[in-house]
Amino acid sequence: MRYLPKSPAEREQMLAAIGAKSIDDLFAIIPAEYRLDRDLDVPRQQAESEIIDYFRAAGQKNASDYTSFLGAGVYRHYRPVIIDSLVQRGEFLTSYTPYQAEITQGTLQAIFEFQTMIAELTGMDVANASMYDGSTGAAEAVMMAVRVTGRHKAVVARTVHPEYREVMATYAKHQGLPSTLVGYERETGRVDLKALEAEVTEETAAVLVQSPNFFGVIEDIPAIAEIAHKKSALLIVSIAEAVSLGVVRPPVEADIVSMEAQSFGVAPSYGGPFCGVIAAKEQYVRQMPGRLVGQTTDSTGFRGYVLTLATREQHIRREKATSNICTNQALVALMATIFLTVYGKEGIRELAEHNLAKADYAAKTLSAQPGAKLLFNGAPRFHEFVLETAETPALWSKRLLEEKIVELSRWYPELENATLWCATEVMPREQIDAAAKVLAAGLVEA
């Protein structure tokens, strides 16, 4: 939307029409404690070009030279420039839901290709392109399991991303769906299989786990599947880091896979958009939320693409809809499709191996410092790891920030001196070495 300034006289006329004396009166309904009352240095009554210049200059004040070891569901990977070149074309950028197949064959084909690639990667039969992100996808997958099984309880591993669990808790509360958390083994960081087996009963609709989990550890999916299926519950595997599928065995034992595909060419962009996916075995396709694009041919053999399955509230009765929040994710799905096409099967494997190597170097280098310890070292992991230090994360983070280095801490109460680290292919070794020096210096001072 363009910036269209109004003159003071026009503003007064608009305020008078609604019975307000000033702009402050207009917002008086908002409690004072929630209003921003500091004087912002924002220019007023300037031309559009001057406003743009102002914000461009203000944007230069943002710190862009920090070293980031942040991960936890949002990952920095190299994005080939071809992605933006293609997704910014008008026919993709301006399109929405491809209801009219005869004029949206390009969009439908892109979604179909995305579904096909995701199904191949996850080992599932079908996949959609309709979830907002990995967190809502995981919650929607549990709701899907409830519809399939007719049961109304869920068991969730505590190694699932904390924010994913918060979204799941919101769904569960308003759906009247009791859910139980299962802890993890302190040696491996994997879900506690004995505790899981004790919690799964004939009333359990779904078991939700994440792999690689929040600690970066690869879960034992076959063993978890055996426990879930013994009680006829469905196994849902959440994947927050899609690149891991380049080397990690796909969770073929799962019944439903919920994945965040942001790593496939979607920039972090200060928190969105994301690219959520649900994939499943074909027998559950009728209960999948969102839409599925299918391929067909006419009597002459001409190939075409159509919306094969659409179970949103727009298409059927609201109370029969599989989801009321899913949408058309064609643009971000196209980013992932281009990314996967550019890298190819071997390229994705090489990318994943590069991530493994960087994380392994970082884990060994940082944990080699006096007073530092690598946690959950008894199981394979991908490109994230947990480091415990002799000092508190607050002191450790303060020293890192002074050197323009950022990591993640304070997310599990029982791991009060632990920090979560992530190293992808875009992390130079020099930055890892710099973080190690800060850690070593901090411990000497302590």
Side-chain angles (χ1 to χ4, degrees), residues 2 14 23 36 59 62 71 77 87 102 134 149 167 174 193 291 311 337 349 356 387 393:
R2 289 171 58 83
M14 294 169 67
I23 294 294
L36 188 65
N62 289 334
H77 293 288
V87 299
E102 64 274 16
T149 63
V167 173
H174 297 286
L193 295 180
R291 308 179 182 89
T311 55
T337 303
R349 170 177 283 276
L356 275 173
L387 193 68

Side-chain angles (χ1 to χ4, degrees), residues 13 16 32 55 105 109 122 127 140 156 191 195 218 251 278 293-295 303 367 418 439:
Q13 184 179 358
F55 281 108
Q105 283 296 292
Q109 182 176 355
T122 59
E140 290 281 344
V156 182
V191 63
I218 310 300
I278 283 184
V293 174
Q295 177 180 278
R303 182 175 60 178
S367 62
L439 175 58

Side-chain angles (χ1 to χ4, degrees), residues 262-278:
Q262 175 267 323
S263 290
F264 290 158
V266 183
S269 299
Y270 298 99
F274 290 94
C275 186
V277 186
I278 283 184

Side-chain angles (χ1 to χ4, degrees), residues 109-128 245 259 264 277 279 333-345 348:
Q109 182 176 355
I111 297 174
F112 180 83
E113 299 291 350
F114 173 80
Q115 293 174 176
T116 303
M117 291 179 180
I118 295 299
E120 291 177 349
L121 277 169
T122 59
M124 295 291 103
D125 298 322
V126 290
N128 68 13
L245 290 172
M259 188 167 76
F264 290 158
V277 186
L334 178 62
M335 295 179 189
T337 303
I338 297 169
F339 182 93
L340 291 169
T341 302
V342 168
Y343 274 88
K345 187 175 182 179
I348 293 296

Side-chain angles (χ1 to χ4, degrees), residues 300-314:
T300 65
F302 185 81
R303 182 175 60 178
Y305 300 90
V306 296
L307 281 177
T308 304
L309 184 67
T311 55
R312 294 183 72 198
E313 75 283 355
Q314 295 166 313

Side-chain angles (χ1 to χ4, degrees), residues 7 32 101 167 175 194-195 256 282 291 297 313 329 368 403 409:
S7 68
V167 173
Q175 292 284 339
K194 291 183 178 179
I256 306 171
E282 187 175 3
R291 308 179 182 89
T297 57
E313 75 283 355
Q329 292 286 83
E403 299 300 324
S409 59

Side-chain angles (χ1 to χ4, degrees), residues 17 39 102 143 157 177 196 339-340 391 437 439:
D39 185 20
E102 64 274 16
M143 297 300 104
L177 175 65
L196 179 67
F339 182 93
L340 291 169
E391 56 186 1
K437 288 181 180 179
L439 175 58

Side-chain angles (χ1 to χ4, degrees), residues 394-411:
L395 292 173
W396 169 226
S397 297
K398 182 176 181 294
R399 293 193 183 100
L400 285 170
L401 282 173
E402 289 172 353
E403 299 300 324
K404 296 187 175 182
I405 301 173
V406 185
E407 41 52 86
L408 183 65
S409 59
R410 296 178 295 277
W411 25 265

